[in-house]
Amino acid sequence: MDKASTPKQDPDRRSRIAAQRAAAQRTRLRNRLLIAGGAIVVVVVVVVVFVVIGGNGSSGGGKVPTPPTGSALAQTISQLTSVPVTTSDTVGAGNATSPPTTISGTPLTSGGKPEMLYVGAEYCPYCAAERWSIIVALSRFGTFTGLQTTHSAAADGAGTAEPYPNTATWTFAHSTFTSDYLTFSPVEIETNVPDKATGAYTTLQTPTKAQQALVNKYDAAYQDAIPFIDIGNKYLSVGASYDPSVLSGLTWSQIATDLHNPDSPVAKSVLGGANYLTAAICGLTNDQPASACTATVKGMRTKI
């Protein structure tokens, strides 16, 4: 087995992680899959939270927003997946503060194409924020079907408020991504509804042994934070790439609409994160397609 390089952690990044961990200590028992002796052993353990980068964990939002349905949902998805390149290039890095880092490992591929592994959870507010950037970025390389709305959790099983509660987002649990350039393998490990007795969220999807091995290998430096994104075993992104509070209180339609205004705080955050993810993906696809791997995006890869 190759020896992976240690992900770079600058002082600011460590400070953000520490601040988020302190804010999220209230988040309780978690179910984590541990790999032992070549077998998957399901164990309920006490995990210090799935801490992430991209904000100090202050609470925001309020009531659960009403998700769009029917033609309104179709229109929202269309807006989300068709942000003009000119708009994204205008934003550039925007307000994204945590670009991917470079790692060194055996190339991660699937079906003869580079593979992008995502591990997150529906309750996680940082995953909620990052999914917007992921969808924008991947829509430049292929097509999503089956995207469904969800929101981050409001409170844990003990009734304690989560950071950035009820953030409008999407779930990858029932989606499919088709692309000529890469394979996207998402794993939503838990729901957004905690058990009132234990505080643990219900298991939704289980990583494969190989996927869990990657999490164990590369996520240890971040204490098992999510969202965890391994881009071809060449780039690693852990946590939200921007402050999730920018989405607080907004509906799916409002966020999708704001993405088309490069001067909006939403666009500067979501598109900035999407551009960094795109830059990493372009590093695996030999800068193809040209419509995604623009000069602006390629320039941002020098910052990874």
Side-chain angles (χ1 to χ4, degrees), residues 200-232:
Y201 293 100
T202 305
T203 299
L204 182 57
Q205 295 179 312
T206 301
T208 65
K209 181 179 177 179
Q211 290 169 340
Q212 187 63 49
L214 290 173
V215 174
N216 294 346
K217 184 175 184 178
Y218 292 115
D219 207 13
Y222 302 101
Q223 298 193 8
D224 303 318
I226 54 173
F228 169 88
I229 307 172
D230 184 328
I231 307 171

Side-chain angles (χ1 to χ4, degrees), residues 17 20-21 24-25 27-33 45 47-53 119-121 123-127 163 189-190 201 215 219 222-227 238-239:
I17 292 175
Q20 290 155 15
R21 182 176 299 118
Q25 288 295 332
T27 310
R28 50 307 62 217
L29 295 173
R30 293 285 183 244
N31 292 332
R32 188 182 175 208
L33 295 176
V45 294
V47 175
V48 174
V49 213
F50 293 131
V51 187
V52 277
I53 306 162
V119 179
Y123 75 83
C124 165
Y126 307 99
C127 305
I189 57 177
E190 292 172 321
Y201 293 100
V215 174
D219 207 13
Y222 302 101
Q223 298 193 8
D224 303 318
I226 54 173
V238 179

Side-chain angles (χ1 to χ4, degrees), residues 104 127 172 218 224 261 264 286:
S104 177
C127 305
F172 294 128
Y218 292 115
D224 303 318
N261 175 7
S264 72
N286 295 318

